[in-house]
Every structure is written in C-alpha cells, then in structure tokens.
Amino acid sequence: MGLDRRTFLQRVGLALLTTGTGAIAPSPSWAASATEYQQTLTAAGPRKLALLVGINHYPHHPALEGCVTDVELQRDLLIHRFGFVPADIITLTDQQGTRENIETAFSEHLIKQAKTGDQVLFHFSGYGAQVHGPGDQPMLINRLVSVDRETAETAETTEGVGNGILEETLLLLLRSLPTTQALVVLDTAYQSFGQLLQGSWRSRSHPDAPAASPNPAELVVVDQLRQRLGRARFKANLPLNWQQWPGLLLGSDGALEGRWSGMTAGLLTYSLTQWLWAHTPAPTLWFTLEHLSETLTPAAAQEPYIKGKVQGDRPLFNTNPAQPTGIEGYIATVAENTNEIQLQLGGMNPWIWSHSQGRSQFRVTGTEQVLEVRSRSGLTAKAIALGQTPLQPGQGVEEWLRVFPRNLGLTIALDPQLQRIERVDATSALANIGSVSNVVLAGEQATDYLLSRTGSIVPVAIATTQQQEIAQGYELFSAGGVPVPNTVGSSEEAVKLAVNRFVPTLTTLLAAKWWQLLSNGESSQLPIQVSLSQIQTEPKLLAQYRTRRAQTLTQPPPILTSPGLLSLPLGTMVQYQVENWGDDPIHMLVVGLDSRNRAIALYPPVTGDRSHWVIEPQTVLTLPAPTSSLTGIMAGSPGLNRLYVICSRAPFPATRKHLAQQPQPKGEGDRFMELANPLRLTQALLQDLHAASQPLAKGDSSDHYEFHVAAWAAMPLIYAVG
C-alpha cells in the first residue's frame, strides 16, 4: 500500500472533493455535488461507506462477463434502496482493480473514514485462486485475483508468483476498521477445476493450478498490517480465523456467472441484490441464506456460506430500506418532452424478467400511476405512463402486470466437448420436439438445460485432470451443471436415441419452467402465508413464507428455525398450512417436482369437500385435512423437492377439469399424485390464471398470457430430503 492518497486518486480517475475533510468521491459522472457531500458529512447518524470491485478483463486469460454488472447491481441497490450517498461509494472496475489500488482504496476510503457505528460494505467480483504458502508452509492460501495478476516478465505458471489480495490480507484490513458494522460479499471461488464452464455457465474459479508463492509485496502488506494491529494478538505463521471477526462475510462455494437475456451477472450477487430490493423490512441473515440456497442450489449446486462472529439470526444490513415496502426498481429518468420513462429493475427475478414481454406493467409506489413497458435491455426498461400523475426520478416501482408469450419453450445447450457429429445429430433430433424452442452451444446464450455426457461437466480437481475420462452415457443437466435425476443413459446409446428418451422429461421440465415463472411471492397482492410443519407428537414449525401483501399487514414476523436450505430426514411426516389474511376467498392447489423429477400435484378427490379448494377469508387450510385419517405427508425419496403453492382470486375451472380426468390417488384424504401430462395441466392452469387477471388487466391477447399481481400468488417450497 505504497501509494499516497492523492496519487491513488489520480491513478484510478477519482476526484477529490474539497470539503475540508479530504473525503474520497467517485468520478464526476457518478458523484454527488460537493454541497450534498458536505451535508452528508455533517449530518447526524452513522455514515454508510462502500468499496465495490468488479474485474471482467484479465490480461492473457479468458474474460469474465458479469463482474462489472455485479458492481452496478450493488451500487444501484445501496443508493436507491438503502440510502447510501453516491459520493460514499467507490467503484474499481477492470484495469482499476490492481492489487495496490484495491488495498489503498480500502485503507483510504474505509479504514480512515469509517467511525464506530458506521456501516461498511466491501464487494469483490472476479476470479479467485489459490497459492502455495510462503517458505515451508504446505497449505494453499485463498486469494482474490487482481487485474495485475501477471506481467510479461513474470507470467504466472505453476512455478510463478500469485498476485492478488490474500485472504489474510483482507481479514487484516477488516480487523483494522474502527467499526464492527461491516459486510463483505465475495462473488468468487478459489478452488480450480481446470474448466471455464460448469454446465453452460462460466466459473469464477481461475482455471490455472495454484501458483508457487504469493507476491512478496503482498507479504510485506500482511506483515505491516499485523504490526499495526499488534503481533501479540496473532499466532505467528497461522492464518487468521474468520470467526474472530465481528463483521459478516457472505460468499458461495463454486461461484458461477449466470446468463440471461440481455445480461450476465454473478448468481450470488444478482440473487442477493434482487432479494434485498424486494423485501421490507430488510431481511435477516437466516432468511437471506435460505433464499440464496433455494435459488443457487437447484440451479448450480452453489452453497452460500457465512463467516464471522455470528451468533443466531441478525439483520443483514443494519439499516432499513428507504421505501416502506419491497419494490422491483425505480424511475431512472423522465423525458421532459415525451411520455417516455426509463426504469432500472434490479429487483426483478432474472429468470422471470428475461422471459417477460413488452406490455408488462409496473405501478409507481404510493400512487395509482401505472407504467407500461415498451422495450427493455438487461435490467433497463423504457416505459410510458398510462396516467397523468407527475413523476420524478428516484420513485420506486413495483410489479403490476406480468406478460409472457404463450409459445414459450426450452432452450437446450450442447456441451462443446461433444464431438461435432454428436452436436449435429442432437440438434436435428431436438428440433423435432415441441417443448424445445432453441438449441445453442453452451456458454454462448441463455439456456435452460444442457445436454452432455455423464462426468464431462462435473468439476474435476486439477490434480486429477490428467486422468483420461471414460465416456459415459448422455444426460441432461441444469444450466449450472446439476444433473437432472433419472436422465442418464448407457455409454453405447446414440445421441438421437437419447434425445427421444428425453422427450417426456423435457415436457415435464417445460411445465416446471412455467411454474417457476409464475412465482411471485415477492410481488403478489394476495395476502397469503404458507407454513411447513413437521408432524411429531406436536407439530413443529419448519418455515413460513409470505407474499408482499401479507408482509404489510400487522402480524408477527415470519419464522425460520435454521439458516440455509431446509433439509428433512428421510421419512419425515410434514403438514402444509395456507392462511388467507384477506377479505375474499382464495382458490388453491399445489404442483411441483419430487426428488425423482416426477411432476406431482397435491389436491383432494374431485368429489371431495369444496373447502379443500377454497380458503375462506381469515381462515387456514391445513393439508392433509385434520379430519383425514392421514395425519401427514411423508418426505419420500432422497433429493431435492420443489413445490409451488398456487393461489387465485378465481376458481380453476380448466385445471379442475383436467385433474378430473387423471387417475385418482389410492387411499383416503389429500395425497400427492404423479401427473400423467404435466404440460397439459400447466396450460390449463395458465389459462385459468390469465382469465382471473382479465378484470384487472383490462385486456386480452391470443398470443400472450397476462397475470395481474392482485389476481394470483405462487409460492415456492424447496427442501431437501436425505
């Protein structure tokens, strides 16, 4: 950290605002005025400081694509959701992200400016890697790879020097902060698997083997920081323990970049920022971990983790959002001479927004003004106002009308490791399947699933990459490389035969894609709470989920008994409860995928009591019904279960007609049954929800489905059994 402060500012293109305090401010295009900044410094209350680093372009190595987007997502969230002053946020992207710049910015902007009680956030998106410890230390040390990781003179090889921020350096910098209110987000991965792609998504683990030793200059920084903090506080030659630090670090194993229509971003960052936009009050650590696990684990087998001296649940941010309710974004600009409005929509679920069509609508919070989208690029949308209410930049917007094309299909990626003839034959066979709309090469476009051979995309440690892989059968994987259960074939099977074998599975997966796209607990205006309980001597509450409308009602906060993805022992008996806190009846059903990837539905016999389908106002529906001899529903085969509780303000006539034609489950009471044709049932369900929305949407289309947030709620329940 040899740069003086003024030299550092000049090198990274930052402007020094003359405020009498020597505060650091970002470049002029991002900075607030000097007057505003001076008012911030003198205002009562803790300051909120942030240093955001995102590096896409590394010399001599494949570029990442979503790290600068991560910085933009975080910055937007901090300013427009949590009230950070723009001048209190420094961003270092691409060539600015050198080791020395990052460490100097941390020291000058965070350590020297923060005071006791101030909120500090450090974010890093980029490659992670490992390096062998110095001297005779046999351990591998984690490091954040800076943009200057290598030079022409010292190209990094297995014998080379590993440049970047050592994990110990980061922890020592954090320990140097005068405040304990610090949050670190690391959207990177350290262990190398020797592959750029995991499934169809790019890994942020650097593909090279661990470097032989750290940069000597970095070891000098470590020694200086230790001396400043007092050597007596640390044991010599031992890495520091994160559990000694009173702040909070959030990361995930095996970090990947997700690709959606029009944008690429880190899965962890996008999932985190979207979640924080959508919820009020600010969600706690446990609920955040649960949400991240439910999002990252099914898609990419990423397991979020926390480090720090954390005891029990606590707020993730020690500051409440600026808006009283969750929102999907805000008005960025309002054209003076036209009706055009530009929206930034960081709170929209990426899977949902990437499939949404023009004519989707958002309501300006606190008003009745509705904005209709006319075009979009990534998370930026251009819209027009459907009313005359004056609008201002910075006003929050919430989802109002969701519009999808009716002919939505699956995009299947082909593993580049397949031989050319295999890819040609697979493309030809997939083109004849009605549930498939597009076939692409992995890593080039947004995809739903990947076709590959078993074992070819599973991460393999560098130490074993020299071993020859034995060819295995064809199999389907998620875009993030998670195997789809029960799809692997024999090694002798031809690819065309494998594709034909996949037809029923692909049909089921398209139905499941629609269920996921219907999920709207974060925006629904139906006041619904869903609870999952374990049935023992007495019911034990496992988790609760609420719609946005339910969150605004005066009720005790939702309950979560443990952080992360809910896991149930094999054979656990569970019970579901759906509560209607509104003044109108709600119609309800449950669909989903079990651990064997079978499409299932939970519903009463068609001749059963009407109350099984309708939840009256201010009442609770329990499944299975208390009057049934069936006291609970068993958590069956090991694996991941994904259920969707779908509620509507109107009945499900087409859905109920389809279910009436299904074979009835054996036994008494409410039970799950396997669906013979899940896509046909889903099409009936979509039509029912579309019809329920028409009195509110005031329009109809033969080419699109329109779903109004006041007409339906779809709440996912995701848990593992094992």
Side-chain angles (χ1 to χ4, degrees), residues 294-361:
E294 292 177 350
T295 303
L296 304 182
T297 302
Q302 281 188 228
E303 190 65 37
Y305 62 79
I306 57 171
K307 294 180 180 180
K309 192 184 293 183
V310 180
Q311 296 180 349
D313 204 2
R314 53 173 273 190
L316 186 67
F317 270 99
N318 291 306
T319 180
N320 284 323
Q323 296 81 8
T325 62
I327 57 177
E328 274 63 61
Y330 65 94
I331 297 175
T333 61
V334 179
E336 294 183 2
N337 301 321
T338 68
N339 196 29
E340 186 174 273
I341 298 159
Q342 182 172 303
L343 305 176
Q344 289 298 125
L345 300 169
M348 282 299 295
N349 181 295
W351 284 273
I352 292 170
W353 181 238
S354 64
H355 290 91
S356 298
Q357 294 285 300
R359 295 184 56 239
S360 294
Q361 295 178 358

Side-chain angles (χ1 to χ4, degrees), residues 56 58 60-64 127 196 202 207:
N56 282 337
Y58 287 85
H60 315 300
H61 282 86
L64 298 170
Y127 275 131
L196 294 177
R202 188 174 295 277

